[in-house]
Amino acid sequence: MTAEDELAPALAELQRTHDVLPFLEQQIPAAEAKFRRMPDEMVDVLSTSPDFRPPARGGAPVWLQLEAEEGHHAVVIVARPEADGELWVISPRKAKD
């Protein structure tokens, strides 16, 4: 089973239960969201945070609030599928998908 296949039920549940989902400092329509492998640069930023604990491998997605400049914050939904153990994040679906 691929990571995408493993995450499909979690994505369907998020889309079923939410009209919009957070992606950093914006809200995106849930129907237009997709799990994508988290870029290495973003993983590096998360891993330097003393409060960050990776989601359980194969567990449910977690919602993370990240502090940004000037009191702002960003929210991401992160999952870690058993299939590859990598971090995946909800993001906008690109037009080509």
Side-chain angles (χ1 to χ4, degrees), residues 32-49:
E32 296 175 16
K34 177 179 184 172
F35 273 109
R36 295 191 185 280
R37 191 178 165 281
M38 186 178 284
D40 291 339
E41 299 83 12
M42 198 170 182
V43 173
D44 291 345
V45 168
L46 285 178
S47 66
T48 62
S49 170

Side-chain angles (χ1 to χ4, degrees), residues 2-3 11 17 41-42 45 53 62 67 79-80 85 93 95-96:
T2 68
L11 177 60
T17 57
E41 299 83 12
M42 198 170 182
V45 168
R53 300 290 175 266
V62 297
E67 297 304 316
R80 188 173 172 216
R93 181 180 302 271
K96 66 179 181 170

Side-chain angles (χ1 to χ4, degrees), residues 24-26 65-75:
L24 299 175
E25 293 183 339
Q26 60 182 315
Q65 180 171 314
L66 311 171
E67 297 304 316
E69 295 177 4
E70 300 179 18
H72 296 279
H73 66 273
V75 179

Side-chain angles (χ1 to χ4, degrees), residues 5 11 15 23 31 39 52 60-62 67 70 74 86 91 93-94:
D5 293 337
L11 177 60
Q15 290 172 330
F23 177 67
F52 176 68
V62 297
E67 297 304 316
E70 300 179 18
E86 299 290 333
S91 68
R93 181 180 302 271
K94 295 195 184 216

